[in-house]
Amino acid sequence: MAGTDRTQESITEAGPGGAPAVILVDPQLGQNIGMVARAMLNCGLTELRLVRPRDGWPNERADTAASGALEVIEGVRLFDTTEAAIADLQWVYATTARPRGMVKPVVTPAQAAVELREAAAAGRKAGLLFGPERSGLVNDDIVLADAVLSVPLNPAFSSLNLAQAVLLVGHAWFMAADDTAPRKLELGAGQPASKAELVNFFNRLEAALDETKFLNPPEKRPNMVRNLRNLFHRIAPTEAEVNTLHGIVSALRGKFGQDR
Amino acid sequence: MAGTDRTQESITEAGPGGAPAVILVDPQLGQNIGMVARAMLNCGLTELRLVRPRDGWPNERADTAASGALEVIEGVRLFDTTEAAIADLQWVYATTARPRGMVKPVVTPAQAAVELREAAAAGRKAGLLFGPERSGLVNDDIVLADAVLSVPLNPAFSSLNLAQAVLLVGHAWFMAADDTAPRKLELGAGQPASKAELVNFFNRLEAALDETKFLNPPEKRPNMVRNLRNLFHRIAPTEAEVNTLHGIVSALRGKFGQDR
């Protein structure tokens, strides 16, 4: 039975950005299938195909473990053979923990992600094969794939559960098209202070410190001022935070509530 | 109790390559702690600190869920407060699912990985804070960190379980120092055929095809030969596979077992 209750069109639509299908071959525990569905949706993957799920389908434990990833669970398609499950695909990876001594290209998740994005951009439909929990894919399934996908892990402890393998591969795929800045300063509702506001604070602080003779002796003052300005500049404060700093100086001088 | 049965020295040693400590604040289920330990060791992280684990410590369910990541479980240290748990660290990330409206740097796992490797190279000890399963870190813990670490995920479905969050962050750290080739041809025990062996096969194939008039008419022959050579070159065969290809040509010509 290459059973389906969804047309080919709706399946193609289901993959946003040409997302690859995830194909689980001989999965055992329904709970693991559910956790796979959750990990998939975390990464924007929605198309799940099952080859001979041991405990049948639908599966209540899968529904529970999916933690709300229902659009994945409800779209599941069942197949009797791996060949049937990948028949419509043009580019397939077989995920394995270790090379099997075959002459076969082996790629990392990040490399597979790049290749999958290229395949999708060219209108090709792709898939990711995962084997059963304990044993992984059999060699006859691996030879059906264009390449082996292997997740680099601590070689002394490389056993991943099924959902974690799907998560790492899926997340590499997600990140390949994610444009989150690697590092940014989250400002909430605030705006960064202008340099004029900053320099105004610097002058204010230095005047207060001059009053208290903190910046003595005079020959050391230029360097001390430079260090202080660098120190406070590193805060990269918002406008509101510059006002807070002014308030702190006033307070420490015993003039809180008076003029700035 | 900043309880410990390990010296500061052994803790520093425990982090290969200056691996960051993982600090779980108010973790609830022992099973989740065990799965965190497993995910950590998958990624080469070994130092786990717990702040107020709800069900106490040691925890049998954690041991079971760790699936053999015993070096992590056995090295666990307990703390009463987040402050105590990070007291010896110089660089700390607070992992959160969503920005909290604080003025705070926010980094991706890959960026944190680069920064953590830099910190380790400079001899600095770093850590990764994770909050309890449902609610995540409280703001008073987040302000103790140098930056917020946020894993980009499908914004419509971004809830990760604790071990999966640790896995994605830990794996980014692992990959930042991993030198696996993004794509390579796994050859097993074989060696790639030399170009001489390949050209010898090309000549043999073309001679056989000339005999059968496959390469007629003559004016089209050069282009057909070029296409065939490209097609078979794409296999990038090993020495043994070139011999197999020779055998196939012989067999198809009805001369299997005779000379090549």
Side-chain angles (χ1 to χ4, degrees):
Chain A
M1 130 208 86
T4 170
D5 51 3
R6 304 171 74 197
T7 65
Q8 182 58 40
E9 269 171 24
S10 77
I11 290 163
T12 305
E13 283 167 16
V22 170
I23 304 114
L24 305 184
V25 181
D26 292 316
Q28 299 178 357
L29 297 174
Q31 189 191 4
N32 288 338
I33 300 172
M35 288 172 70
V36 164
R38 178 182 180 180
M40 285 174 61
L41 196 54
N42 282 150
C43 303
L45 299 173
T46 54
E47 188 180 343
L48 179 57
R49 304 178 180 190
L50 304 179
V51 180
R52 301 177 297 258
R54 188 190 64 186
D55 298 339
W57 193 263
N59 183 309
E60 218 169 274
R61 285 165 181 266
D63 296 352
T64 306
S67 298
L70 293 183
E71 68 182 280
V72 178
I73 293 291
E74 287 164 7
V76 161
R77 295 171 71 204
L78 294 176
F79 296 89
D80 276 342
T81 65
T82 304
E83 284 89 339
I86 64 173
D88 61 319
L89 306 180
Q90 294 154 294
W91 188 250
V92 173
Y93 294 96
T95 56
T96 72
R98 297 270 121 212
R100 304 293 182 90
M102 288 186 207
V103 184
K104 196 97 178 161
V106 180
V107 300
T108 60
Q111 174 66 21
V114 170
E115 295 174 3
L116 285 166
R117 295 285 179 183
E118 283 174 359
R124 297 185 195 117
K125 180 78 185 144
L128 299 158
L129 282 171
F130 292 84
E133 285 88 338
R134 283 175 185 279
S135 50
L137 288 169
V138 298
N139 286 349
D140 283 342
D141 283 342
I142 295 173
V143 296
L144 293 173
D146 294 279
V148 165
L149 202 174
S150 198
V151 181
L153 290 167
N154 176 4
F157 193 80
S158 62
S159 129
L160 280 181
N161 76 31
L162 186 54
Q164 285 173 316
V166 170
L167 180 68
L168 288 178
V169 173
H171 198 250
W173 177 81
F174 182 83
M175 290 308 291
D178 181 72
D179 61 358
T180 304
R183 175 178 265 269
K184 68 175 176 204
L185 184 63
E186 188 65 42
L187 289 172
Q191 283 298 318
S194 69
K195 295 311 174 194
E197 289 169 311
L198 262 187
V199 171
N200 182 42
F201 169 72
F202 292 156
N203 289 334
R204 166 82 190 300
L205 175 67
E206 290 148 18
L209 293 175
D210 276 332
E211 278 175 36
T212 63
K213 311 219 186 298
F214 180 82
L215 295 176
N216 279 357
E219 66 273 21
K220 294 208 170 165
R221 188 181 186 281
N223 202 41
M224 293 174 80
V225 163
R226 242 174 263 127
N227 289 345
L228 281 175
R229 288 186 172 205
N230 264 333
L231 185 158
F232 280 96
H233 218 139
R234 219 149 63 219
I235 299 174
T238 62
E239 292 167 345
E241 287 172 334
V242 169
N243 287 337
T244 300
L245 290 171
H246 277 292
I248 288 172
V249 173
S250 295
L252 293 176
R253 292 290 287 144
K255 294 175 180 172
F256 186 60
Q258 298 179 31
D259 67 338
R260 306 198 336 195
Chain B
M1 133 204 84
T4 171
D5 51 1
R6 305 170 75 197
T7 66
Q8 183 60 40
E9 268 167 24
S10 76
I11 289 164
T12 305
E13 282 165 13
V22 169
I23 305 113
L24 304 184
V25 182
D26 292 316
Q28 299 178 355
L29 296 174
Q31 189 192 6
N32 288 338
I33 299 172
M35 288 173 69
V36 164
R38 178 182 181 180
M40 284 174 61
L41 196 54
N42 281 148
C43 304
L45 300 172
T46 53
E47 188 180 343
L48 178 58
R49 306 179 179 189
L50 304 179
V51 180
R52 300 177 298 257
R54 188 191 63 186
D55 298 338
W57 193 261
N59 183 309
E60 218 170 276
R61 284 165 181 268
D63 297 351
T64 306
S67 297
L70 294 182
E71 68 181 280
V72 178
I73 293 292
E74 286 164 7
V76 161
R77 297 172 68 203
L78 294 176
F79 296 89
D80 277 343
T81 64
T82 304
E83 284 89 339
I86 64 173
D88 61 321
L89 306 181
Q90 294 154 294
W91 188 251
V92 173
Y93 294 96
T95 56
T96 72
R98 298 270 121 213
R100 304 292 183 90
M102 288 184 204
V103 183
K104 197 97 178 162
V106 180
V107 300
T108 60
Q111 173 67 21
V114 169
E115 295 173 4
L116 285 166
R117 296 283 178 183
E118 285 174 357
R124 297 182 195 118
K125 181 78 186 142
L128 298 158
L129 283 171
F130 292 84
E133 285 88 337
R134 283 174 184 282
S135 49
L137 288 168
V138 299
N139 286 348
D140 282 342
D141 284 342
I142 295 174
V143 294
L144 294 173
D146 294 278
V148 165
L149 202 176
S150 199
V151 181
L153 290 168
N154 175 3
F157 193 80
S158 62
S159 131
L160 280 182
N161 75 31
L162 185 54
Q164 286 175 316
V166 170
L167 180 69
L168 288 177
V169 173
H171 198 251
W173 177 82
F174 182 83
M175 290 308 292
D178 180 72
D179 60 358
T180 304
R183 174 179 265 270
K184 69 174 174 204
L185 183 63
E186 188 64 43
L187 288 173
Q191 284 297 318
S194 69
K195 295 311 174 196
E197 289 169 311
L198 263 186
V199 171
N200 182 42
F201 169 72
F202 291 157
N203 288 335
R204 165 81 190 300
L205 176 67
E206 290 149 18
L209 294 175
D210 277 331
E211 278 175 35
T212 62
K213 311 219 183 302
F214 181 82
L215 296 175
N216 279 355
E219 66 272 20
K220 293 207 172 164
R221 187 181 187 282
N223 202 42
M224 292 173 81
V225 163
R226 240 174 263 126
N227 289 345
L228 281 175
R229 290 188 169 203
N230 264 333
L231 184 158
F232 280 95
H233 218 140
R234 219 149 63 217
I235 299 174
T238 63
E239 292 167 346
E241 288 173 332
V242 169
N243 287 337
T244 301
L245 291 172
H246 276 293
I248 289 172
V249 173
S250 296
L252 293 176
R253 292 290 286 143
K255 295 175 180 173
F256 187 60
Q258 301 178 29
D259 68 337
R260 306 195 340 192

